[in-house]
Each structure stands twice: as structure tokens, then as C-alpha cells.
Amino acid sequence: MTTNFNLQYNDWKYNLSQNSENGELKILSFERVGLVRKAVEYAKAEVSGLVGEVELPVLEARKAACGECESVKKAGEEEWYCKSCGCPEWERSKLQVKWGMPAAKCPLGKWPVNG
């Protein structure tokens, strides 16, 4: 059985497949994510927080996924940052803020979608 997932590392986004029997990873596709695309994704996430809400079960699932993730940098209880998304560490990039943005996405594909 294989599992497909996405991974973003710095300016690169990968689509990977992992064989659950032997752990083998295969790169299915990759692309460089440009600054304009990052800016558009950020703007979408910010605006989505102004016009919609993340349902509580989804917010809790996002927090739980980050709590177990190896890419999270914890600087106390209220300052968690993702090391995979490429955002600088500032007030709006805290995971506690991103969890509440309906259009925000985990670069590793670990978050459920809102809805």
C-alpha cells in the first residue's frame, strides 16, 4: 500500500509517495514556489479569516496535528511556528493564528480542511 502526500521545503513543493511495506519514498512531482505565489497564498489565508471561521473540531485537529509534528518549533505555549512553510517568525505566522484561518494549509498536508 502506498500513501501520497505533499511536502514544502523552503521554496520547493514536492508530491511524494511512500510504500508502507518497505518505507521507500518516491518523488512524484516537484515545483519551485515563487514569491508571488507565496504572497497570493498568504493573502488568501488572511482574507479567509476575515470572512469565515474555522469550526472548533477542525481547529482542534489542526492543533493536534501540529502538536505531534517534527516541523514545529515551540517557543512556549503561545508561540508555535512551522519550520516547513517558509514563513518568517512573526505575529501572523504563529500557528495559533494560522489555525484560525479557513484557507490556511499545512505545507505537509497534515491538516484537515475546514468544513
Side-chain angles (χ1 to χ4, degrees), residues 5-112:
F5 60 97
N6 295 317
L7 169 72
Q8 185 170 334
Y9 181 75
N10 292 328
D11 290 342
W12 293 91
K13 187 178 265 186
Y14 299 90
N15 183 5
L16 303 166
S17 175
Q18 183 173 26
N19 184 316
S20 61
E21 293 177 15
N22 62 15
E24 179 183 350
L25 283 173
K26 288 184 181 180
I27 297 174
L28 302 176
S29 64
F30 61 93
E31 66 177 311
R32 187 161 192 181
V33 181
L35 184 59
V36 172
R37 183 169 174 186
K38 282 184 179 182
V40 169
E41 288 178 12
Y42 170 73
K44 283 182 185 178
E46 283 287 354
V47 170
S48 74
L50 298 173
V51 298
E53 293 182 358
V54 174
E55 297 169 3
L56 185 59
V58 174
L59 191 131
E60 291 172 347
R62 288 177 172 189
K63 181 178 180 178
C66 292
E68 298 174 357
C69 184
E70 65 282 349
S71 288
V72 170
K73 175 184 174 186
K74 295 181 182 179
E77 268 308 303
E78 296 299 317
E79 291 191 23
W80 292 12
Y81 299 96
C82 177
K83 296 184 287 185
S84 295
C85 71
C87 293
E89 290 181 16
W90 69 300
E91 186 64 31
R92 300 305 297 165
S93 68
K94 289 180 184 175
L95 288 171
Q96 287 83 347
V97 173
K98 290 181 177 184
W99 297 331
M101 296 176 177
K105 298 176 184 171
C106 170
L108 304 176
K110 295 183 177 185
W111 287 2

